Amino acid sequence: MTQQQPPEFIEKVKTGISGFDLLSEGGLPKGRTTLVAGTAGSAKTIFACQFLVEGIKEGQNGVFVTFEESPQAIRKNMRGFGWDIEQWEAEKKWAFVDASPKTGNRPLVSGEYDLGPLLARLEYAIEQVQAQRVSMDSLGAVFTYVPDMAQVRGDLFDLAWALREREVTSVLTSERTQEYGDISRYGIEEFVADNVVILRNVLMEEKRRRTIEILKYRGTPHQHGEFPFTILPDQGIVVLPLTANSLERKSSRQRVTSGNAELDGMCGGGFFRDSIILVSGATGTGKTLIVTEFLAGGVNNGEKCLLFAFEESQEQLFRNASGWGREFEQMEQEGKLKVFCRYPEETGLENHLVKIKQLIEEFQPDRVAVDSLSAMEKIAPLKGFREFILSLNAILKEQRIMGLLTANTTSLMGGMSVTESHISTNTDSIILLRYVEVYGEIRRGLTVLKMRGSKHDKEIREFTIDESGMHIDKPFRNITGILSGTPTYMTQSEIDRLGSLFEET
């Protein structure tokens, strides 16, 4: 009886590129070649360099073969990310194979072009630094030297075979002429590589959106679809793996205060400890006040709180909070509160998300408030904004942090905003704030529209604001249409008539 052999799995090498290893479920297949294709400016060279940089940090040396830019230009361009390539070269951790064209020396090809000398130089460099990783940027330059496509294809197969024989993990870059369509410019490169990764830099609604997609990963699992990524000065490429977030999370039954005793009563005793709450209303209805009371309530309970403000400066927030009897400045000095203010237009949405994640990891808050999400809507296409919200919710849920997010309605009297429509299904509780016109006077109304897993007050209650904060009062009577933005006063006779329609017989 023959003994059954265990299945042979393909080992993966962690790239170290933030988010990519989660997206690729472990990194690049070890000892194989991966084609990274993209249009001009899609960050192919950064990916190729970062692959080597992160390898060196893990003790895996690398060789960079450059067909276009000179090594001097690459050293200079990558210094902005804090990567000192020259130092690694001196330490025998990084080696260049320079196949870039020289100024005033146009390549002249007569007869068959031979990649043999290049292979010899590459093997020598691998031997010299004991490389485990190789990056080649970019294959398209080879085609400009060799007019015979059949010969190029054969030579590239020889090159890929040689890299596999050396058991090095390789990244080959190649240009595309369009974001969606043919994988590579010459239609050959993707057949040579074992795996294909596509980088895109798409113009959507007059805004650029970078995405990464694993198109082919021979014999190994990976996440499917496009995922946004950004490029940061001190980190390089950072991928945001949205669908890698799972629903296998624990939920708390512990109740904590909203910071307002009357609102706690409407919510059945307070918010759940790890819930996400959306507060929606028109400008001036009291959203920032709810945020203020939410954070102050947390600090009073001995919790650490973090506020991301995208509409008001820190000084404005401190002044307003003080006017409601909450001393944010003192809380921050005591290390119980951290306030981060930035205008949305200062950077891209992905960069904001990375910063939010970084501050949460550093400060380790129990509560997070974002005021407001609607301000972020203006700086990204709808698809990008939806991904931002999903990622933000996932970050809070993963770390079991209670979050309170605010959104503006476009209409002064009610209705649903784009922000609200995108986030409402992903939140545990929704609180609506509305203006109500009663006989020529503007009043404010509040209702708890949704609270997952709990009974709650379903009435629309009037509230007032004074120097001590928000005071929730009795429900509005004799008025309908508040949530739709068309409040209508009803006479007592009409109420009696409607009530009689539902009397038990």
Side-chain angles (χ1 to χ4, degrees):
M1 183 177 178
T2 58
Q3 188 174 1
Q4 191 174 1
Q5 295 296 323
E8 187 177 347
F9 293 103
I10 296 172
E11 188 179 349
K12 290 185 178 178
V13 175
K14 288 186 178 179
T15 63
I17 297 173
S18 180
F20 182 80
D21 292 337
L22 195 57
L23 173 67
S24 58
E25 300 190 4
L28 295 181
K30 187 177 181 181
R32 294 192 169 189
T33 54
T34 300
L35 179 73
V36 177
T39 56
S42 58
K44 300 184 297 298
T45 304
I46 297 173
F47 190 104
C49 285
Q50 194 171 351
F51 173 63
L52 296 193
V53 170
E54 298 298 337
I56 288 173
K57 291 178 183 175
E58 296 296 321
Q60 300 171 13
N61 298 343
V63 172
F64 195 99
V65 184
T66 174
F67 291 104
E68 291 182 337
E69 292 183 273
S70 67
Q72 291 85 353
I74 292 173
R75 291 186 195 105
K76 187 176 179 181
N77 294 339
M78 297 302 142
R79 205 168 290 147
F81 297 108
W83 302 336
D84 192 348
I85 295 175
E86 207 163 356
Q87 176 68 30
W88 291 322
E89 285 181 272
E91 295 172 356
K92 304 291 184 188
K93 296 177 179 176
W94 180 302
F96 275 110
V97 173
D98 184 9
S100 63
K102 303 296 181 288
T103 307
N105 184 17
R106 295 171 65 85
L108 177 63
V109 179
S110 64
E112 283 196 352
Y113 186 85
D114 186 8
L115 282 178
L118 175 67
L119 271 175
R121 292 172 64 191
L122 175 58
E123 289 183 353
Y124 177 75
I126 292 172
E127 188 70 30
Q128 283 296 103
V129 299
Q130 294 295 304
Q132 297 176 48
R133 300 187 180 201
V134 168
S135 288
M136 304 182 76
D137 182 52
S138 117
L139 291 183
V142 176
F143 293 88
T144 61
Y145 303 148
V146 189
D148 185 351
M149 292 295 121
Q151 186 198 341
V152 172
R153 181 166 182 156
D155 286 344
L156 289 181
F157 269 115
D158 290 343
L159 178 64
W161 180 83
L163 291 171
R164 289 191 201 102
E165 284 294 298
R166 304 291 300 187
E167 295 184 349
V168 292
T169 310
S170 313
V171 166
L172 319 176
T173 71
S174 180
E175 287 183 3
R176 308 180 74 198
T177 55
Q178 52 191 347
E179 299 295 356
Y180 295 93
D182 294 336
I183 295 173
S184 60
R185 181 190 290 269
Y186 297 98
I188 293 176
E189 302 94 310
E190 60 266 33
F191 298 106
V192 175
D194 299 299
N195 319 300
V196 176
V197 175
I198 295 179
L199 303 178
R200 294 189 177 92
N201 187 18
V202 184
L203 184 63
M204 295 177 67
E205 300 172 24
E206 300 182 354
K207 300 176 182 75
R208 286 283 173 187
R209 179 171 177 266
R210 293 184 184 275
T211 63
I212 186 170
E213 178 184 8
I214 296 176
L215 189 68
K216 176 174 119 179
Y217 237 42
R218 195 172 277 163
T220 58
H222 61 89
Q223 299 285 329
H224 295 270
E226 291 184 56
F227 297 83
F229 75 91
T230 186
I231 301 170
L232 296 179
D234 53 345
Q235 297 182 48
I237 291 174
V238 177
V239 182
L240 309 172
L242 305 174
T243 55
N245 304 306
S246 71
L247 288 173
E248 298 172 2
R249 309 183 189 103
K250 294 181 179 177
S251 294
S252 173
R253 297 186 181 187
Q254 181 188 353
R255 300 269 189 171
V256 291
T257 180
S258 66
N260 184 298
E262 291 127 358
L263 184 57
D264 288 346
M266 291 183 71
C267 295
F271 299 139
F272 285 119
R273 178 72 187 79
D274 53 1
S275 59
I276 294 179
I277 305 107
L278 174 67
V279 179
S280 171
T283 179
T285 47
K287 298 185 296 298
T288 303
L289 172 56
I290 288 187
V291 168
T292 303
E293 293 189 337
F294 172 76
L295 297 173
V299 170
N300 290 338
N301 273 356
E303 301 171 18
K304 291 177 73 176
C305 301
L306 179 57
L307 170 60
F308 296 97
F310 297 107
E311 289 184 331
E312 296 179 272
S313 68
Q314 189 181 56
E315 287 298 317
Q316 284 177 298
L317 289 166
F318 285 0
R319 181 200 63 194
N320 296 342
S322 183
W324 293 317
R326 276 76 173 180
E327 299 301 331
F328 272 9
E329 192 167 4
Q330 183 183 343
M331 294 176 192
E332 196 167 54
Q333 288 170 356
E334 294 172 350
K336 300 172 181 174
L337 172 69
K338 187 176 184 65
V339 178
F340 178 81
C341 300
R342 179 167 288 183
Y343 281 112
E345 291 80 4
E346 285 185 21
T347 186
L349 205 54
E350 292 82 7
N351 293 11
H352 281 298
L353 185 65
V354 172
K355 187 65 180 177
I356 288 173
K357 187 178 180 186
Q358 178 192 340
L359 285 177
I360 286 175
E361 289 172 353
E362 288 174 0
F363 192 66
Q364 294 289 310
D366 301 292
R367 297 185 181 203
V368 167
V370 178
D371 186 28
S372 81
L373 284 178
S374 301
M376 313 299 281
E377 212 179 286
K378 298 175 286 186
I379 63 168
L382 275 180
K383 188 172 184 181
F385 180 63
R386 177 173 166 73
E387 290 169 348
F388 169 79
I389 290 174
L390 287 173
S391 296
L392 176 61
N393 280 4
I395 291 169
L396 298 177
K397 286 287 187 183
E398 285 291 331
Q399 305 197 32
R400 305 189 71 184
I401 297 170
M402 184 162 58
L404 190 144
L405 319 172
T406 69
N408 290 330
T409 54
T410 51
S411 169
L412 201 61
M413 301 303 289
M416 180 176 276
S417 66
V418 174
T419 309
E420 195 178 318
S421 63
H422 277 82
I423 194 176
S424 56
T425 55
N426 295 306
T427 54
D428 300 300
S429 305
I430 297 178
I431 296 171
L432 297 183
L433 306 180
R434 292 288 185 264
Y435 285 119
V436 184
E437 183 183 352
V438 181
Y439 294 123
E441 181 185 355
I442 294 294
R443 299 182 184 177
R444 292 183 175 93
L446 178 151
T447 188
V448 179
L449 186 69
K450 161 185 164 184
M451 192 159 179
R452 276 188 183 137
S454 172
K455 290 182 179 179
H456 60 89
D457 191 326
K458 295 180 177 60
E459 294 182 302
I460 304 173
R461 293 180 175 270
E462 183 175 4
F463 71 92
T464 57
I465 298 173
D466 63 17
E467 64 277 359
S468 62
M470 175 181 286
H471 305 282
I472 302 173
D473 207 344
K474 297 178 181 177
F476 283 100
R477 300 296 185 195
N478 303 358
I479 297 179
T480 62
I482 294 175
L483 294 185
S484 64
T486 55
T488 305
Y489 186 78
M490 298 177 67
T491 62
Q492 189 57 47
S493 59
E494 181 66 7
I495 295 172
D496 294 340
R497 187 186 71 80
L498 290 174
S500 65
L501 296 177
F502 301 97
E503 285 181 354
E504 294 183 2
T505 57

